[in-house]
Amino acid sequence: MHERTLYLGCDSIEHRPGNKCVLESWFEETPYGIVFEDDGDTGYFYAAHTEQGILDALHIYNVKDVTDRDLPSTVSLLWDETFDLAALEINGYIHAVFDFIAHAGYCRNAFPTAYGDWLREPNRLLDDALLTRLLTLH
């Protein structure tokens, strides 16, 4: 067993929650993409497909609930080397993960409830134990 390495999928950005932004990461090697969006009220992380559009959406934060929203944060979109796993990292902390092989999306607050044809995994909660399991190759 060894740990799966995650790589930057695009340049990280400095972001203040509540400032509207969209950060995307796409590669020719996979039809999947990932998108982080802050619409001014909420932050969401999306799994997308070049032909099918948005596959899944994970709630990351409500701007009004972010205690240090006036401070800049570093937002990074990460992929493993096979493009099977993607993650949203803010200030060095992974907030959400998409497992494209398992058709699963996980975030720290397990919201929203799993729905849609693409999703196969009803569990949405990303905790440290699950993150360790996802990042460990057998």
Side-chain angles (χ1 to χ4, degrees), residues 47-107:
H49 188 278
T50 53
E51 295 174 5
Q52 300 167 11
I54 300 294
L55 301 172
D56 192 13
L58 296 170
H59 178 263
I60 306 303
Y61 57 76
N62 292 319
V63 172
K64 65 178 177 51
D65 297 331
V66 178
T67 54
D68 56 355
R69 64 182 170 269
D70 56 324
L71 299 175
S73 295
T74 302
V75 178
S76 303
L77 300 181
L78 308 173
W79 289 92
D80 73 346
E81 64 187 21
T82 58
F83 303 103
D84 295 337
L85 201 71
L88 170 68
E89 182 182 79
I90 302 175
N91 293 333
Y93 182 78
I94 294 180
H95 286 264
V97 174
F98 286 114
D99 182 336
F100 289 102
I101 298 300
H103 290 232
Y106 308 100
C107 62

Side-chain angles (χ1 to χ4, degrees), residues 13-16 18-23 35-40 42 44 61 75:
I13 62 167
E14 188 174 278
H15 173 68
R16 283 184 172 80
N19 292 349
K20 292 182 180 182
C21 80
V22 175
L23 182 62
V35 180
F36 169 73
E37 178 185 29
D38 184 325
D39 66 5
T42 57
Y44 267 84
Y61 57 76
V75 178

